[in-house]
Amino acid sequence: SMTSINDLPDEVLEFIIDLLPPYQDLENCRLVCRRWRELVRNVRFRKTISFQRGVMESNLCWKEWQPPDPRTPIIAGRYSHSATVYKSMMYIFGGGSSEVTTFNDLWAFNLSSRSWNRCNSHGAHPYPSPKARATMVSHEDKLIVFGGLRYPPSYPPYQRVNLFDELHVYNLEEKHWTYPKISTPWPPAMAGHSATIHGQQMVVFGGLQETPLYVACSNTVWCLDLNTFSWRLQETSVLKPAPRIDHYQIRLGEQYLLIAGGLGGVNNPFTDMWLLTMTSPVWSWREIPVRKKKFSATRMWTNPSCHVDNKLIVLGQNCSLPKDLQITAQIRMNHQWQHPRNQDPHRLRNPHYEQPNRAPEPPRPTFQPLPRAPPNHHLGMLAFRDSFPAQEMRERRLSALQKREQELQARRGIQRPPPKTPAAKRPRQNCEAVFICDLSRVLDTLEPFAEWLETREGGVLSGAPLKTILSTLVVGNGELIMFGGLEQNASHGSYAANNHVHFVTVPHTVI
């Protein structure tokens, strides 16, 4: 008689099923028979428990995805894009490239088949504007994209960035973009803000916002009703977080959200955490004490993060390695802070909106104009900087002294010893490190707090890729997915956007 896979013991068959991507393939295996359905249930349970234990014990590893066929369509490299996961798909929208080009395309990465596919819009439905640093969240069978900015070209220099207040919705079932017509007051144009879904509303906090008079960081809260697509400016307590951009917003149930980190201006990063309670007509802020900050992420505003089982996971640079990526003294949030002359400050960024009655803008602290960057610095947010100029100067002087000593020895007729073969220097690897913060006590009524956990090897896991910034990190089924970002070339110091896909998962055990 023929031997089939069903003749294998349950332990072996369960191990084989565990090697499949935990998405559509597992769903298909569940439909084979009753035995396979029970095995799939065990695999899902074990994957969840193993991943949670791996996060606590830092027993995780990196795996890079490589396209099996170079002829298949693949997304272009980008940074400052938006990412979210819905069912078995990871969606990527917009972002910028190394040549200061912004995108408005939407791509889907099938987490089951590990393949890219571009999402087109059918019918006469306009696409969103090309932009980066927008927010994209999934709700039911829709993707909601709001805000963002467009980087100016490198020539002519010193142009201002364009902020957007556009709201677009992509219908995943009908596969097209829509733009809800809104007649109520809506938020100002913004970028670098955050958004989460709570019930039937989207809550937006902070960001770089545009007003008729200035552009500055904000700490206001806006809410979008997802049934009627109407905006409202939410009233909050007097005590609130400082204005910031590029922070983390974590959903802690239907009535709570947590704000962590961010940037408040030039060389003004934040490491604090604030809890927003949404149970009363006036929402209240409360600062949450943070313990063991020595184990915290190195920078909580250009590195991606995600929320897994009451744990905040942040990618960053290993504290024990040399800091190749430094915060520059010049951070251009835009090229020109003042509003351009002869321009209607109330003009619509999106021509498809109806003319609204704008809500009065609350007073916001203004920024002093930032120092302008040289014309060839076109990144617009931050740059990579050599952090060892003194060391290089010392090596140059030492080389000159050695050359002069050799010349004097040659004049005196002294036999010069054979040069020593220098030992091969180990290349400095600035790898991605994983930082974990425990949020399980944040909602305590008596003494709430958040606590950073100590990770093994400084958070550098097996197979860690080179350090990138302005990438995205999303949560899958028993794994984390990192995409894109800016990566520095160690040989000549340049930087480029990449389209790499990396997974953080639990190593497979051998039975």
Side-chain angles (χ1 to χ4, degrees), residues 76-311:
R78 62 192 65 201
Y79 66 94
S80 294
H81 48 277
S82 307
T84 188
V85 170
Y86 180 72
K87 293 184 178 179
S88 62
M89 308 291 286
M90 177 181 69
Y91 293 94
I92 303 293
F93 170 79
S97 71
S98 304
E99 290 76 22
V100 205
T101 301
T102 48
F103 304 100
N104 66 342
D105 51 351
L106 178 66
W107 286 78
F109 184 76
N110 192 315
L111 296 172
S112 183
S113 62
R114 305 301 207 220
S115 60
W116 286 103
N117 181 40
R118 182 168 179 174
C119 303
N120 296 316
S121 182
H122 302 292
H125 300 284
Y127 282 79
S129 300
K131 54 188 175 181
R133 300 175 78 182
T135 56
M136 179 173 65
V137 295
S138 60
H139 176 67
E140 296 175 351
D141 60 344
K142 298 178 178 60
L143 302 178
I144 304 172
V145 178
F146 173 67
L149 60 82
R150 180 189 302 160
Y151 300 113
S154 57
Y155 185 83
Y158 308 128
Q159 298 185 69
R160 67 187 301 274
V161 298
N162 294 321
L163 297 175
F164 295 98
D165 59 2
E166 296 177 342
L167 177 70
H168 281 81
V169 179
Y170 186 81
N171 192 308
L172 296 173
E173 296 294 333
E174 302 177 2
K175 299 186 183 304
H176 65 77
W177 288 101
T178 59
Y179 46 89
K181 294 185 177 182
I182 302 175
S183 58
T184 59
W186 72 78
M190 64 175 67
H193 52 285
S194 58
T196 50
I197 298 294
H198 299 263
Q200 294 297 317
Q201 64 179 353
M202 180 177 72
V203 180
V204 177
F205 170 78
L208 187 67
Q209 296 188 4
E210 182 181 64
T211 66
L213 300 178
Y214 51 80
V215 174
C217 292
S218 170
N219 60 353
T220 57
V221 177
W222 285 85
C223 296
L224 174 67
D225 190 310
L226 299 177
N227 293 322
T228 61
F229 284 99
S230 58
W231 287 99
R232 77 173 188 275
L233 178 61
Q234 178 61 42
E235 183 180 0
T236 59
S237 58
V238 177
L239 180 65
K240 60 185 64 178
R244 61 191 70 197
I245 62 172
D246 295 334
H247 46 275
Y248 308 143
Q249 182 167 323
I250 303 102
R251 178 184 181 274
L252 300 178
E254 297 289 336
Q255 300 177 337
Y256 301 94
L257 65 83
L258 186 71
I259 298 295
L263 184 68
V266 178
N267 292 334
N268 185 26
F270 294 110
T271 59
D272 55 349
M273 295 187 182
W274 290 78
L275 180 67
L276 179 62
T277 304
M278 301 176 286
T279 56
S280 59
V282 178
W283 294 356
S284 60
W285 286 102
R286 180 178 182 180
E287 185 172 6
I288 303 299
V290 181
R291 300 180 180 179
K292 297 184 179 181
K293 285 189 175 183
K294 63 180 180 178
F295 302 129
S296 64
T298 52
R299 193 158 66 242
M300 297 174 62
W301 59 278
T302 58
N303 300 318
S305 71
C306 62
H307 179 228
V308 180
D309 188 40
N310 286 328
K311 301 292 186 299

Side-chain angles (χ1 to χ4, degrees), residues 216-452:
C217 292
S218 170
N219 60 353
T220 57
V221 177
W222 285 85
C223 296
L224 174 67
D225 190 310
L226 299 177
N227 293 322
T228 61
F229 284 99
S230 58
W231 287 99
R232 77 173 188 275
L233 178 61
Q234 178 61 42
E235 183 180 0
T236 59
S237 58
V238 177
L239 180 65
K240 60 185 64 178
R244 61 191 70 197
I245 62 172
D246 295 334
H247 46 275
Y248 308 143
Q249 182 167 323
I250 303 102
R251 178 184 181 274
L252 300 178
E254 297 289 336
Q255 300 177 337
Y256 301 94
L257 65 83
L258 186 71
I259 298 295
L263 184 68
V266 178
N267 292 334
N268 185 26
F270 294 110
T271 59
D272 55 349
M273 295 187 182
W274 290 78
L275 180 67
L276 179 62
T277 304
M278 301 176 286
T279 56
S280 59
V282 178
W283 294 356
S284 60
W285 286 102
R286 180 178 182 180
E287 185 172 6
I288 303 299
V290 181
R291 300 180 180 179
K292 297 184 179 181
K293 285 189 175 183
K294 63 180 180 178
F295 302 129
S296 64
T298 52
R299 193 158 66 242
M300 297 174 62
W301 59 278
T302 58
N303 300 318
S305 71
C306 62
H307 179 228
V308 180
D309 188 40
N310 286 328
K311 301 292 186 299
L312 172 64
I313 300 180
V314 182
L315 299 184
Q317 180 184 350
N318 181 14
C319 300
S320 63
L321 294 178
K323 295 184 178 180
D324 291 346
L325 312 182
Q326 297 286 341
I327 304 177
T328 58
Q330 297 179 353
I331 300 175
R332 293 191 309 161
M333 294 183 188
N334 54 12
H335 291 238
Q336 181 179 347
W337 289 93
Q338 294 79 13
H339 228 279
R341 296 181 179 180
N342 302 327
Q343 178 177 320
D344 182 12
H346 297 283
R347 71 181 182 89
L348 299 183
R349 295 287 185 186
N350 187 351
H352 306 291
Y353 284 120
E354 295 181 356
Q355 182 64 33
N357 299 319
R358 283 188 174 270
E361 295 290 340
R364 297 187 178 96
T366 60
F367 273 97
Q368 296 296 328
L370 298 179
R372 290 181 175 179
N376 60 352
H377 177 78
H378 59 267
L379 182 55
M381 288 168 296
L382 57 102
F384 298 96
R385 184 181 66 180
D386 185 5
S387 58
F388 298 96
Q391 181 69 16
E392 287 187 359
M393 184 62 67
R394 180 179 178 275
E395 292 178 356
R396 292 178 182 177
R397 292 176 179 176
L398 182 60
S399 177
L401 289 175
Q402 290 176 350
K403 185 178 180 180
R404 180 60 176 168
E405 182 182 4
Q406 294 173 4
E407 294 177 355
L408 293 176
Q409 290 177 352
R411 290 180 183 179
R412 297 172 183 174
I414 302 176
Q415 187 68 22
R416 185 174 61 179
K420 296 181 179 180
T421 303
K425 294 184 178 180
R426 185 180 180 182
R428 181 171 50 194
Q429 296 292 328
N430 194 349
C431 300
E432 290 282 4
V434 177
F435 300 88
I436 303 173
C437 183
D438 186 5
L439 305 179
S440 59
R441 301 291 299 276
V442 167
L443 298 180
D444 287 1
T445 56
L446 297 180
E447 189 179 356
F449 65 89
E451 182 178 7
W452 289 96

